[in-house]
Amino acid sequence: MKITGARVIVCCPGRNFVTLKLETDEGLTGLGDASLNGRELAVAAYLTEHLVPLLVGRDAHRIEDTWQYLYKGAYWRRGPVTMSAIAAVDTALWDLKAKAAGMPLYQLLGGASRERVLVYAHANGRDIAETVDEVHRQAALGYRAIRAQSGVPGLAKVYGVAADREHSYEPATPGLPKEEDWDTAQYLRHTPKLFEALRNAIGWEHELLHDVHHRLTPIEAARLGKDLEPFRLFWMEDATPAENPEAFRLIRQHTTTPLAVGEVFNTVWDCKPLIEQQLIDFIRTTVVHAGGITHLRRIADLAALYQVRTGSHGATDLSPVCMGAALHFDLWVPNFGIQEHMPHNEATDEVFPHAYRFDGGFMHPGEAPGHGVEIDERLAAKYPYQRAYLPVNRLQRDGTLWDW
Ligand code: EZ4
Ligand code: CO
């Protein structure tokens, strides 16, 4: 099966998605997600200018060789742009191979290790009462695991909280980056109260999660982890920036709250010290930003040696193509933990028809050959790219640029 064409499709049905479509001499097509929030066109150009010319004429079945060719052949290894582009090619090739075999992708990976994939929902409120309501609402939809975020008194806007209750949280906005403000002391006083209120309201049957989104120093994260211990979180995510993996040792020494990290990682090398030194419990890399299915398997296999489980990133800035591929991966991966699930808007679901489904707090990738996600290119063309940026964050006290 030879690759005869490769095209990059950029569309914005509410937010920007970059999709790679491979065509073959057998008439099969394969899709890969290449969306990198706020830097979409860098990946699109990497694909169009540098990878597409290498793909046409290649044997579509040689997934591993193509991965190695693109990774080692670039000379400039790693990085989110390179790895998202390689991920798109890899995902599209797995899609093609599974379609050629007439099997859902999870069968090629080794078959299902479980019946269904546990997912967690987002619950966001401007204050504790709203977040409690929202957790009840997500539980009523069937979710067994729920991530809870709340506004902090005194702060105008914090990560994860939508401006009003009608809209779900969408960080990237058109125009120049929005500026948010931050105060660690106020956040550290508020967050344990949120989880105390949640446990009082919802009891202990549901898993509760929280995303710190990189805002704390290691010792502050250690304090929060300790304060949250009575509420038995499933995990505390991105407690501190992870460029320095040693930071997690300090957190680890102080708390038994499980730690999750990895949505901004792009190779196994980012994960290696955290996994091997057992500084984390969940690794959150996903298909699009960590080199595709081929590389995600390497990360998961390393993690399995240390009882670290997967918890793939699944925010709405990852396209349904990534979600579909991730669900096949999740159904197979032996050391599965949980999968993030933020439903896409209606327009996105129309542009990307898919076989995956949600039922009672779990998802399933479906039985369609390949990863089960397609693109309606005519509809996609009605939603042209719109430049958008993620916000930046400044300390409220003096305007110092902080981690977002
Ligand atoms: O802010 O995907 O766990 N989910 C997250 C996301 C990220 C966005 C960034 O593009 O942290 O909401
Ligand atoms: Co996160």
Side-chain angles (χ1 to χ4, degrees):
M1 181 165 57
K2 271 207 173 0
I3 300 171
T4 51
R7 276 179 305 115
V8 177
I9 304 152
V10 183
C11 64
C12 186
R15 60 163 335 291
N16 293 313
F17 296 113
V18 178
T19 309
L20 176 70
K21 185 170 193 173
L22 298 182
E23 287 159 352
T24 63
D25 58 358
E26 293 185 11
L28 295 175
T29 59
L31 288 185
D33 181 23
S35 307
L36 184 63
N37 206 0
R39 295 294 185 270
E40 296 86 359
L41 297 189
V43 189
Y46 193 109
L47 281 165
T48 308
E49 300 297 325
H50 306 296
L51 299 198
V52 166
L54 306 175
L55 296 174
V56 175
R58 288 185 78 85
D59 178 356
H61 279 302
R62 296 187 66 179
I63 301 177
E64 186 65 51
D65 183 68
T66 302
W67 196 97
Q68 299 295 337
Y69 186 86
L70 299 182
Y71 183 81
K72 294 178 175 162
Y75 184 63
W76 312 105
R77 298 183 185 194
R78 307 187 286 163
V81 174
T82 298
M83 297 310 290
S84 299
I86 293 177
V89 175
D90 187 77
T91 307
L93 290 177
W94 277 104
D95 191 25
L96 280 170
K97 193 186 274 296
K99 282 176 175 168
M103 287 181 184
L105 173 52
Y106 74 82
Q107 294 291 11
L108 290 194
L109 298 176
S113 298
R114 56 195 54 79
E115 312 279 308
R116 46 191 184 261
V117 172
L118 178 68
V119 297
Y120 69 91
H122 287 198
N124 315 314
R126 284 166 297 180
D127 55 26
I128 290 178
E130 256 189 33
T131 305
V132 170
D133 279 1
E134 193 55 24
V135 165
H136 278 303
R137 200 173 72 79
Q138 297 299 332
L141 292 172
Y143 286 98
R144 319 277 178 107
I146 302 166
R147 186 189 93 161
Q149 311 288 135
S150 136
V152 174
L155 294 182
K157 182 138 187 8
V158 301
Y159 166 77
V161 179
D164 58 64
R165 300 196 75 175
E166 278 62 58
H167 295 90
S168 62
Y169 176 69
E170 173 53 71
T173 47
L176 295 176
K178 292 253 164 47
E179 302 225 341
E180 298 180 359
D181 59 345
W182 182 250
D183 185 273
T184 297
Q186 296 186 66
Y187 169 78
L188 287 180
R189 283 199 299 276
H190 179 72
T191 305
K193 291 183 204 157
L194 168 67
F195 283 91
E196 184 177 20
L198 283 171
R199 280 301 179 210
N200 287 336
I202 196 165
W204 298 88
E205 293 304 309
H206 289 78
E207 304 286 4
L208 294 177
L209 300 80
H210 183 66
D211 192 347
V212 179
H213 221 269
H214 316 113
R215 278 157 175 69
L216 299 177
T217 66
I219 198 68
E220 292 162 354
R223 159 64 58 207
L224 181 62
K226 270 176 111 156
D227 288 349
L228 293 177
E229 277 172 23
F231 313 115
R232 299 289 192 272
L233 266 60
F234 188 85
W235 76 37
M236 177 167 75
E237 173 178 336
D238 290 342
T240 198
E243 286 101 319
N244 171 24
E246 286 294 316
F248 281 76
R249 185 185 312 286
L250 196 148
I251 304 172
R252 197 69 157 169
Q253 281 164 348
H254 290 284
T255 182
T256 57
T257 294
L259 302 176
V261 74
E263 68 183 47
V264 303
F265 292 3
N266 47 73
T267 70
V268 70
W269 300 101
D270 296 322
C271 312
K272 184 176 181 282
L274 289 165
I275 291 172
E276 287 181 346
Q277 295 166 44
Q278 304 186 83
L279 303 180
I280 57 169
D281 301 281
F282 295 93
I283 185 71
R284 300 195 60 257
T285 44
T286 193
V287 179
V288 54
H289 298 139
I293 298 273
T294 296
H295 197 65
L296 207 57
R297 292 180 90 165
R298 306 237 140 93
I299 295 172
D301 283 343
L302 176 68
L305 301 182
Y306 300 90
Q307 300 180 56
V308 172
R309 292 183 289 156
T310 64
S312 289
H313 188 204
T316 41
D317 48 287
L318 284 51
S319 95
V321 174
C322 177
M323 190 65 189
L327 287 167
H328 285 273
F329 181 83
D330 295 336
L331 200 66
W332 160 73
V333 69
N335 49 324
F336 172 73
I338 200 165
Q339 166 71 49
E340 184 177 18
H341 179 227
M342 245 182 120
H344 287 103
N345 67 14
E346 218 173 295
T348 302
D349 281 338
E350 278 168 19
V351 170
F352 296 96
H354 50 260
Y356 62 75
R357 55 181 192 270
F358 172 84
D359 182 27
F362 294 87
M363 291 182 79
H364 193 283
E367 301 295 338
H371 54 47
V373 187
E374 295 297 333
I375 187 167
D376 180 336
E377 288 192 62
R378 278 214 277 183
L379 196 54
K382 292 191 182 150
Y383 300 106
Y385 168 78
Q386 232 193 324
R387 182 163 52 228
Y389 289 99
L390 289 168
V392 298
N393 201 22
R394 291 186 185 278
L395 291 188
Q396 192 178 57
R397 180 171 298 168
D398 64 2
T400 302
L401 197 86
W402 200 245
D403 304 283
W404 178 76

